Amino acid sequence: MLTLKGKTVYLRALEPNDLEFVYAVENDESIWQVSNTHTPYSRFLVRQYLENAHQDIYEAKQLRLAICKGQDFPAVGLIDLFDFDPKNNRAGIGILIKDLVHRNSGVGSESLELLIQYAFAHLNLHQLYANIDVANQASLALFANFGFEKIGIKKQWNLVRGIYHDEVLFQLVHQPTSVSELTQQF
């Protein structure tokens, strides 16, 4: 079971008892534009998803981890690698901190750092990308702080409550830092 530990957070695989948390996230219309959700999910569908969450990233093309604080088991957020492309060594990355009390507290930064390190060191990815609404200043700043570069704007990309929103495309290309890391790529 995958667990990534930082100073104040740890990322862990989803568990069956995450049902209510994932159900609440997937059905919270206020964050649908962030999660690219369009319709509600039933507990039955979320339970089925959790039962298959053990799939390897190479099978599922996705890795979703629960973000936990300290030694607390309950999740405070989710962080994903999606559209995993092992041929081209890239994946999308996204993060969601559910409750306002945990936002702007360093949880997102530490979680993103852990997953970036995992993606480059263990999955040998060459690049990560993120799609972020232009109005989501907190996420834009978070990803920029980790070296993601704005490489484009998708104009009128997402329709949210009858209004089209632009979306920023961020990219982080991994630069090997050592000769041994460089030779691993070939």
Side-chain angles (χ1 to χ4, degrees), residues 43-155:
R43 281 184 176 78
F44 174 77
L45 287 176
V46 174
R47 187 176 294 111
Q48 280 187 315
Y49 170 76
L50 291 174
E51 287 171 2
N52 292 316
H54 67 278
Q55 284 185 321
D56 184 83
I57 189 171
Y58 290 91
E59 291 176 75
K61 305 296 183 215
Q62 174 183 351
L63 173 66
R64 175 172 273 185
L65 299 171
I67 300 169
C68 302
K69 283 196 63 153
Q71 297 302 312
D72 292 341
F73 191 78
V76 299
L78 299 169
I79 190 163
D80 300 321
L81 290 177
F82 61 90
D83 292 342
F84 176 67
D85 181 352
K87 179 187 178 294
N88 295 299
N89 297 317
R90 67 176 170 237
I93 190 168
I95 185 169
L96 172 83
I97 307 299
K98 172 83 171 88
D99 297 318
L100 292 175
V101 68
H102 297 293
R103 294 182 190 167
N104 299 314
S105 68
V107 170
S109 293
E110 191 172 348
S111 299
L112 187 58
E113 181 176 18
L114 287 169
L115 195 55
I116 290 169
Q117 289 172 355
Y118 175 79
F120 290 148
H122 297 284
L123 296 175
N124 295 315
L125 294 184
H126 175 63
Q127 60 181 286
L128 294 168
Y129 67 89
N131 304 301
I132 304 170
D133 189 289
V134 294
N136 189 340
Q137 293 299 314
S139 288
L140 293 171
L142 174 65
F143 281 83
N145 284 341
F146 282 94
F148 281 78
E149 294 182 35
K150 177 178 162 181
I151 60 167
I153 296 180
K154 296 181 259 181
K155 297 290 187 181

